[in-house]
């Protein structure tokens, strides 16, 4: 079991089975520690990981920093092209693909064992502000599977009266920008 912090301040904790490799590669690691004497059992998140996360959140890290861990010992798993790397709570799937081969509004078919299960549109990213305004948006630094096919700049994110993003208005603004070529 390891825990650590990326250069951007994101904390991570879990078994060193290979899924932290992309984190170390993409975000860099500021510090990482080994937590000893933690049994590796199925569903250890509830029994062991949750209390460790609570201690880290409460800045009760003294005992958890006793065993520094070499960042080069973080296991990595090669993710083959076409793999689903994340599915969010809304069912949106992020795939590892060659973004250069995709264009705006291309349709991608997701197949499992050769059987098509769903289709999706190529994602574009909407960024508030103006290109070159110093927001520091640099998609070239993102891994292929995390890079949007296209970035569209909007003057301001449209919001609903409750403060949430107005997705329909945002989609209309993005489409208008793509149509005008702005």
């Amino acid at each position: 079991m390891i825990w650590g912090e990326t250069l951007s301040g994101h904390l991570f904790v879990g078994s060193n089975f290979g899924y932290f490799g992309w984190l170390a590669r993409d975000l860099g690691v500021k510090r990482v520690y080994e937590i000893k004497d933690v049994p590796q059992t199925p569903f250890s998140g509830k029994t062991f990981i949750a209390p460790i996360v609570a201690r880290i959140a409460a800045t009760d890290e003294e005992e958890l920093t006793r065993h520094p861990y070499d960042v080069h010992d973080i296991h990595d798993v090669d993710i083959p092209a076409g793999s689903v790397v994340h599915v969010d709570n809304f069912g949106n799937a992020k795939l590892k693909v060659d973004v250069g081969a995709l264009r705006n509004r291309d349709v991608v078919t997701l197949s499992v064992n050769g059987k098509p299960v769903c289709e999706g549109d190529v994602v574009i990213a909407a960024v508030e502000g103006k290109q070159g305004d110093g927001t520091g948006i640099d998609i070239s630094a993102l891994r292929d599977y995390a890079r949007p096919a296209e970035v569209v700049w909007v003057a301001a994110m449209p919001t609903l009266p409750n403060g949430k993003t107005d997705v329909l208005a945002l989609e209309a603004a993005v489409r208008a920008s793509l149509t005008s070529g702005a």
Side-chain angles (χ1 to χ4, degrees):
M1 180 86 57
I2 62 173
W3 82 275
E5 181 179 9
T6 66
L7 294 175
S8 57
H10 295 90
L11 298 174
F12 59 93
V13 60
S15 299
N16 189 18
F17 293 149
Y19 45 76
F20 292 132
W22 70 269
L23 199 71
R25 196 175 45 247
D26 290 1
L27 301 178
V29 174
K30 182 188 298 184
R31 59 190 178 133
V32 63
Y33 304 95
E34 182 175 19
I35 303 168
K36 299 197 178 218
D37 302 323
V38 176
Q40 299 295 313
T41 61
F43 308 106
S44 61
K46 178 180 177 183
T47 311
F48 301 107
I49 296 176
I52 291 168
V53 170
R55 289 177 61 191
I56 294 168
T59 64
D60 179 19
E61 301 176 1
E62 183 179 342
E63 185 178 321
L64 297 175
T65 58
R66 288 188 183 164
H67 305 285
Y69 196 75
D70 188 339
V71 68
H72 298 99
D73 290 334
I74 295 176
H75 296 167
D76 198 2
V77 175
D78 183 41
I79 302 170
S83 298
V84 175
V85 294
H86 178 74
V87 178
D88 68 16
N89 294 338
F90 301 102
N92 298 310
K94 295 180 184 177
L95 307 172
K96 180 180 179 184
V97 297
D98 177 7
V99 176
L102 299 174
R103 298 289 172 248
N104 184 45
R105 302 193 185 183
D106 281 352
V107 175
V108 177
T109 302
L110 178 62
S111 298
V112 176
N113 295 328
K115 180 182 176 186
V117 292
C118 65
E119 288 186 345
D121 297 320
V122 172
V123 175
I124 54 176
V127 179
E128 187 172 13
K130 293 181 181 175
Q131 190 167 4
D133 69 356
T135 57
I137 302 297
D138 179 13
I139 65 170
S140 67
L142 296 174
R143 308 263 311 156
D144 285 344
Y145 59 82
R147 189 177 307 133
E150 195 164 333
V151 175
V152 173
W153 294 83
V154 293
M157 290 290 175
T159 57
L160 297 167
N162 63 4
K164 293 183 178 182
T165 301
D166 185 339
V167 178
L168 296 177
L170 178 59
E171 183 178 313
V174 167
R175 284 193 177 151
S177 177
L178 291 171
T179 304
S180 70

